[in-house]
Amino acid sequence: MSYSFTLVTRDNIIQLAAAYLGLLSVYAWSAWSYVLYGPRNAAWDFRTHYIRDLLMYMLAHQADAGIQLMIKLTNGVWPELTTAMQRVPQGFASRIIIPAYPLGSLPPCVWAEALQEVAHASQGRGMHAECIIAHSGSTPLASGVSGRREPKVILHFHGGAYVSGTLEQYRPVHTLLSQSSGLRVYGFAYRLAPHSVYPTQLYDAYCAFSHLLALGYKESEIVFTGDSAGGNLALALWQLLKKPDLYAMVLVSPRVDVTCSRRSWALNADADVLTPYNIQNASDPLRKLLVPQGRPVDQRVLDLLNDPYISPVNGDLSGLPPTLVQAATAEVMFDDISEFVKRAQAQNTRGHRIHYQVFEGGFHDFQFVPMLVKHSIQARQAIGKFTSEQRTLNTSAAGEP
């Protein structure tokens, strides 16, 4: 067996060494601060404290040459390792191409005209997607309608602030969701900002949903799951589809308000891995999503920050399907999510229950951080239980599980 070391040059060795030194410095600083000042959150042990610092470092330095080199070396020098990391244990992964689907009638919204333009420009385009089957009794996925097996299916909307996220990066998340729920999970690679501004992502989500219908699934057999910005996109699609009769919805640390105006944005700033949005900053992901490159932020853009598709907390939430919302007390979005749940429960007192599960001391999207074992496992188990049992929990009362 031979390997190619063409990536390893003198300059790259220096960059790689700097990257590893950076990671070591994070560990050293995290340990020192933990001993000297204690954890950033009273509920944290050192592992949680360190993982938070590590994630912050990786997010801040993901574009650095050394970090990028580490990724390239894994893909180029050790391809067998990369392939092994992408395998789905006790299951199957099948890549598919989702075609562009024509838009039906749209509800009144500020995005209707832009959506029609995106749909017209997207004709003939295919979108990459993936189906994960990672539970006991899995069978290989056949093509077309014949690939359907289970009576229910999950459509997952990935996070990443609409500017990042790939099928490869989210394959472990899709696998965990399939393992915990016992269902097939479809993930789709919607177009990202800044190359594609909103509502391109919403149209791509519409195509993913339409493809499941084309495979023979009914609305009542589909579960929407979304984390972070993916939760935002799931709620936006639900509004666009005029409140479809979904089997269920699971929102993991969903982005429901982009104004950053509630108390937790300041209270949890030192603990969470997210930073406040700043639409005036050209490098801010929210600006990249809403404002085409080179254009200024005008009053129309500022008004969009309160639009129900961008900030679902302001929307008409009546008629939600049975919904599980998970949040953590140490994330900056905690108060936003809590207010969303409060409004959703108030608007669904005679309909399906809105379940709210809070995890003490967790930070944003902790559910899919594998090293945070205890809370991560508990959260995923709750998702699996909800997706399999929610029909028996469907009562007229609203409240926590």
Side-chain angles (χ1 to χ4, degrees), residues 171-306:
R171 178 176 284 186
V173 173
H174 298 155
T175 301
L176 291 170
L177 285 172
S178 182
Q179 289 172 335
S180 64
S181 67
L183 302 177
R184 294 183 178 205
V185 176
Y186 280 84
F188 60 101
Y190 59 81
R191 284 168 280 185
L192 301 174
H195 180 72
S196 298
V197 296
Y198 204 81
T200 304
Q201 298 78 13
L202 182 55
Y203 172 73
D204 288 348
Y206 171 86
C207 291
F209 178 79
S210 298
H211 193 68
L212 291 185
L213 297 182
L215 290 179
Y217 288 102
K218 301 176 182 178
E219 288 184 355
S220 58
E221 296 172 329
I222 298 174
V223 180
F224 280 5
T225 65
D227 67 288
S228 191
N232 176 282
L233 185 56
L235 287 166
L237 181 61
W238 175 78
Q239 295 177 77
L240 184 72
L241 296 172
K242 303 176 184 178
K243 305 180 180 181
D245 182 28
L246 300 175
Y247 184 83
M249 187 182 300
V250 177
L251 304 173
V252 175
S253 295
R255 187 171 95 177
V256 294
D257 193 338
V258 298
T259 62
C260 309
S261 57
R262 294 184 177 85
R263 182 169 174 264
S264 59
W265 279 93
L267 184 65
N268 293 332
D270 290 336
D272 203 8
V273 296
L274 296 184
T275 56
Y277 300 112
N278 181 4
I279 194 73
Q280 301 296 342
N281 186 338
S283 62
D284 186 82
L286 184 61
R287 177 162 178 167
K288 292 179 179 179
L289 178 68
L290 298 178
V291 185
Q293 290 177 296
R295 294 189 184 179
V297 176
D298 54 21
Q299 187 59 46
R300 183 193 69 85
V301 173
L302 295 178
D303 291 342
L304 290 176
L305 302 185
N306 291 302

Side-chain angles (χ1 to χ4, degrees), residues 36-105:
L36 195 62
Y37 303 109
R40 295 179 183 274
N41 183 280
W44 289 2
D45 56 12
F46 174 69
R47 174 185 290 187
T48 306
H49 181 88
Y50 166 63
I51 291 173
R52 181 269 178 194
D53 289 347
L54 180 62
L55 289 174
M56 287 294 292
Y57 179 85
M58 294 298 291
L59 287 171
H61 297 272
Q62 57 184 324
D64 288 3
I67 299 297
Q68 290 297 312
L69 180 60
M70 292 171 65
I71 298 172
K72 289 180 181 178
L73 284 172
T74 303
N75 291 329
V77 180
W78 299 292
E80 290 81 4
L81 175 60
T82 302
T83 301
M85 291 173 65
Q86 292 181 354
R87 290 175 185 150
V88 178
Q90 299 180 343
F92 303 90
S94 178
R95 281 295 181 94
I96 57 175
I97 299 294
I98 294 178
Y101 284 87
L103 284 170
S105 62

Side-chain angles (χ1 to χ4, degrees), residues 107-398:
C109 68
V110 300
W111 304 107
E113 182 178 351
L115 278 167
Q116 293 290 358
E117 293 175 357
V118 172
H120 178 74
S122 299
Q123 294 307 304
R125 179 185 183 275
M127 176 173 61
H128 289 281
E130 187 171 74
C131 178
I132 296 290
I133 310 173
H135 57 277
S136 59
S138 300
T139 56
L141 178 66
S143 61
V145 177
S146 62
R148 181 182 165 189
R149 295 291 187 272
E150 294 83 0
K152 297 186 294 296
V153 65
I154 289 176
L155 179 63
H156 185 69
F157 303 71
H158 74 73
Y162 287 103
V163 297
S164 65
T166 66
L167 291 176
E168 289 79 12
Q169 290 170 348
Y170 263 80
R171 178 176 284 186
V173 173
H174 298 155
T175 301
L176 291 170
L177 285 172
S178 182
Q179 289 172 335
S180 64
S181 67
L183 302 177
R184 294 183 178 205
V185 176
Y186 280 84
F188 60 101
Y190 59 81
R191 284 168 280 185
L192 301 174
H195 180 72
S196 298
V197 296
Y198 204 81
T200 304
Q201 298 78 13
L202 182 55
Y203 172 73
D204 288 348
Y206 171 86
C207 291
F209 178 79
S210 298
H211 193 68
L212 291 185
L213 297 182
L215 290 179
Y217 288 102
K218 301 176 182 178
E219 288 184 355
S220 58
E221 296 172 329
I222 298 174
V223 180
F224 280 5
T225 65
D227 67 288
S228 191
N232 176 282
L233 185 56
L235 287 166
L237 181 61
W238 175 78
Q239 295 177 77
L240 184 72
L241 296 172
K242 303 176 184 178
K243 305 180 180 181
D245 182 28
L246 300 175
Y247 184 83
M249 187 182 300
V250 177
L251 304 173
V252 175
S253 295
R255 187 171 95 177
V256 294
D257 193 338
V258 298
T259 62
C260 309
S261 57
R262 294 184 177 85
R263 182 169 174 264
S264 59
W265 279 93
L267 184 65
N268 293 332
D270 290 336
D272 203 8
V273 296
L274 296 184
T275 56
Y277 300 112
N278 181 4
I279 194 73
Q280 301 296 342
N281 186 338
S283 62
D284 186 82
L286 184 61
R287 177 162 178 167
K288 292 179 179 179
L289 178 68
L290 298 178
V291 185
Q293 290 177 296
R295 294 189 184 179
V297 176
D298 54 21
Q299 187 59 46
R300 183 193 69 85
V301 173
L302 295 178
D303 291 342
L304 290 176
L305 302 185
N306 291 302
D307 178 74
Y309 284 75
I310 303 302
S311 292
V313 70
N314 300 319
D316 176 7
L317 303 175
S318 61
L320 277 170
T323 300
L324 172 64
V325 182
Q326 291 185 341
T329 59
E331 61 178 313
V332 290
M333 294 180 178
F334 179 66
D335 287 350
D336 296 344
I337 298 170
S338 297
E339 179 63 22
F340 169 83
V341 172
K342 178 182 177 181
R343 295 185 186 186
Q345 289 176 341
Q347 295 179 43
N348 290 275
T349 55
R350 296 183 179 275
H352 297 305
R353 290 189 65 183
I354 310 300
H355 305 264
Y356 190 30
Q357 192 170 30
V358 175
F359 291 84
E360 182 66 31
F363 51 71
H364 184 70
D365 240 7
F366 75 92
Q367 292 86 340
F368 302 124
V369 179
M371 293 177 286
L372 296 177
V373 179
K374 182 180 178 181
H375 279 176
S376 297
I377 292 177
Q378 290 176 349
R380 295 195 298 269
Q381 287 176 340
I383 292 172
K385 181 180 179 181
F386 179 77
T387 55
S388 62
E389 298 181 2
Q390 63 81 20
R391 284 299 184 194
T392 65
L393 300 174
N394 181 12
T395 67
S396 61

Side-chain angles (χ1 to χ4, degrees), residues 5 35 338:
F5 287 87
V35 172
S338 297

